[in-house]
Amino acid sequence: MSLELLTPAEMTRVDAAAPAAGASGSALMERAGGAVAAEVANGWPDARRILVLAGPGNNGGDGFVAARKLAEAGREVLVALLGDRESLKGDAAVAAARWTGETGPLPNAPFEACDLVIDALFGAGLGRPIEGAAADAVSAANASGLPIVSVDVPSGLDGATGRPLGDACVRASLTVTFVRLKPGHVLTPGRSLCGRVVLADIGMPEDAVAGIGARAFLNRPALWRDQLPAPSIEGHKYSRGHVAVWSGPELSTGAARLSALAALRSGAGAVTLLGQRAALKEHAAHLTAVMLREAENDWAEFLTQRRVSAVVVGPAAGPTERTAKALTEAIEAGCHVVMDADVFSLFAGRPDDLAALIARGSGQVALTPHEGEFARVFGVDKTASKLERARAAAARSGATVLLKGADTVVATPDGRATVADNAPPYLATAGAGDVLAGLCAGLLAQGAPAFEAASAAVWLHGEAATAVGRGLIADDLPGAIPEALRRMEERAAG
């Protein structure tokens, strides 16, 4: 699968470049409609009567082609058209002219007499809420209980943001899209509204896509595996990276412990947990391979003298002066730093102060907030997509931003981004984010660049959770990281 994610605007530019690259719009539409028909035929062999909801543009044209292909294969097909057939233009008009079967007005669509619905009303480029007869048809389709196969994206879904444009949005069983996925296919809630997504190859010339210069990608090992250093037979623990984790106080030690274990499991050669004596007693009751050290006044000295490569600050650390001092000293020591949890309370409403601190260091910095923590620092922008918000925060802070969720986005100040789709629902459990912070730090300590380290950490986090399965708690995750690493290597070998 090609990993670029193209916005609707970028896909429009690809379509415009297609003729010069040797592909006609009519031929592409013929293949797109054929791909939809093939998915319906293979997925629902017993669906005899098919209802196609066709819109007034190219999405509707794809629907007319699918209707013709299915009719030729022996299915009974009815096209319910929004608007007049005479109003269709260009390739859509050509596709409609080739359809000789039954066509009726959209408001009269007989859902009750059909076995399956093809939603070919509007594609990813829709820019306004669906209204009128089209909105009524969407509501009727959703209420029908029939399987719905959407063309490109479910009608009513914003292909750039993954959010419905209004109250009317199709809930598809399957979405068949073309050339490349859009962000709306993987960002939530779009991912759920799309159902299963099939990316069909319709023969778009690669030159037309390459000219776009995509900057967003589906998070997969093919993007970053080559940037993760492999262990060397001649290596030793410090050559594999030393991670320091700043501990919370005595009654809040679990989060830092999870980060430390994840950093060690990621392949870091040494991990040290540093904190107050009472907290270290708690850690000592649970840990063996992770080293412990009291850190009252010599944290900065330890970072430089013990060849610390990466630092985690924030998990259950408390938004205190001690935490702020530890963070500042880690930055000034030139370490790579992963900032999580309570760091975002320290910088609530102060994104420029955070950026100024980051600028004082020479190491790479990754911020790992969930949505609430992100809003605490950077504010709330209801008009921007998650992808856009993460990119803006990365540019403003000068750090790689890992904005967590079922659709975790990793973004860099230069605009590169990945979107994850492999997190199982049971990963939403207390402490999972602490493991992710440690994973990221462990990969940074081994020499991976921040964007690749963060993207790899997100993918490995999801794979580890999948390996554990239902009933997962955060304590299970560090032990499942070796299985996730094995899956990564299998992907690379494949």
Side-chain angles (χ1 to χ4, degrees):
M1 174 188 287
S2 299
L3 301 181
E4 299 101 326
L5 299 175
L6 298 184
T7 65
E10 289 171 333
M11 195 61 229
T12 297
R13 288 163 51 199
V14 171
D15 288 336
S24 71
S26 180
L28 293 170
M29 183 173 287
E30 187 73 13
R31 295 185 198 119
V36 173
E39 290 297 330
V40 170
N42 293 332
W44 289 271
D46 297 329
R48 301 311 309 164
R49 188 162 173 81
I50 312 295
L51 173 62
V52 178
L53 309 180
N58 283 346
N59 203 249
D62 295 338
F64 273 106
V65 173
R68 189 180 82 247
K69 298 282 188 181
L70 286 166
E72 290 171 352
R75 307 292 180 101
E76 298 178 47
V77 184
L78 167 66
V79 176
L81 178 63
L82 176 63
D84 299 324
R85 195 162 178 163
E86 294 73 23
S87 299
L88 297 173
K89 296 180 174 59
D91 297 327
V94 172
R98 292 174 177 168
W99 167 246
T100 58
E102 185 179 357
T103 303
L106 186 64
N108 296 340
F111 292 95
E112 69 286 348
C114 296
D115 302 314
L116 180 142
V117 177
I118 294 177
D119 159 36
L121 285 169
F122 302 103
L126 184 69
R128 63 183 186 280
I130 298 176
E131 299 175 340
D136 293 340
V138 168
S139 296
N142 287 338
S144 70
L146 297 172
I148 303 175
V149 176
S150 286
V151 179
D152 193 19
V153 300
S155 293
L157 182 69
D158 187 329
T161 69
R163 295 196 296 254
L165 290 159
D167 294 333
C169 185
V170 167
R171 295 192 302 272
S173 308
L174 171 73
T175 296
V176 183
T177 194
F178 319 107
V179 185
R180 297 293 188 272
L181 297 179
K182 285 78 178 175
H185 290 126
V186 288
L187 293 171
T188 60
R191 194 163 84 211
S192 297
L193 293 167
C194 288
R196 186 169 67 89
V197 178
V198 171
L199 177 61
D201 180 3
I202 58 172
M204 177 67 75
E206 285 300 313
D207 288 349
V209 180
I212 299 303
R215 303 288 282 165
F217 304 89
L218 191 63
N219 191 349
R220 290 288 188 275
L223 285 175
W224 38 258
R225 175 62 188 87
D226 291 345
Q227 295 297 311
L228 303 188
S232 168
I233 194 67
E234 298 176 348
H236 53 81
K237 64 183 178 182
Y238 289 116
S239 68
R240 289 178 60 185
H242 184 186
V243 176
V245 180
W246 183 256
S247 174
E250 179 181 3
L251 298 180
S252 303
T253 60
R257 196 155 53 245
L258 286 169
S259 292
L261 286 167
L264 199 58
R265 285 292 192 180
S266 75
V271 177
T272 302
L273 254 170
L274 296 98
Q276 298 170 315
R277 178 170 299 214
L280 296 182
K281 290 180 179 179
E282 292 294 322
H283 289 308
H286 298 275
L287 297 172
T288 50
V290 173
M291 296 180 286
L292 304 176
R293 183 182 177 97
E294 191 173 354
E296 287 296 334
N297 300 311
D298 63 346
W299 163 253
E301 181 182 351
F302 175 84
L303 295 178
T304 55
Q305 291 188 353
R306 294 303 179 95
R307 292 180 284 180
V308 172
S309 310
V311 174
V312 180
V313 179
T320 65
E321 289 185 10
R322 285 185 78 249
T323 302
K325 184 173 182 289
L327 178 63
T328 299
E329 290 177 347
I331 290 286
E332 292 177 343
C335 298
H336 304 317
V337 180
V338 177
M339 302 185 192
D340 190 38
D342 287 331
V343 166
F344 304 117
S345 294
L346 280 172
F347 288 93
R350 300 192 296 128
D352 293 334
D353 290 343
L354 177 59
L357 174 61
I358 291 169
R360 288 161 61 179
S362 59
Q364 301 179 89
V365 174
L367 310 179
T368 60
H370 57 58
E371 286 282 6
E373 293 163 341
F374 183 93
R376 198 174 302 154
V377 178
F378 297 103
V380 177
D381 183 352
K382 294 184 178 180
T383 64
S385 72
K386 186 170 185 175
L387 187 57
E388 293 166 333
R389 290 184 291 112
R391 279 172 162 161
R396 186 170 186 177
S397 66
T400 295
V401 171
L402 192 163
L403 182 50
K404 295 183 288 195
D407 53 353
T408 296
V409 173
V410 175
T412 63
D414 66 8
R416 288 176 297 157
T418 57
V419 183
D421 69 343
N422 71 323
Y426 32 88
L427 189 51
T429 184
D434 305 314
V435 174
L436 181 58
L439 251 175
C440 186
L443 296 173
L444 280 170
Q446 294 172 71
F451 176 63
E452 287 79 6
S455 297
V458 170
W459 188 87
L460 291 166
H461 195 234
E463 292 300 299
T466 299
V468 175
R470 293 182 67 176
L472 166 80
I473 61 173
D475 302 62
D476 301 325
L477 286 169
I481 290 171
E483 171 63 17
L485 290 166
R486 186 186 65 78
R487 294 185 185 193
M488 178 191 73
E489 297 296 351
E490 287 180 349
R491 290 285 189 98

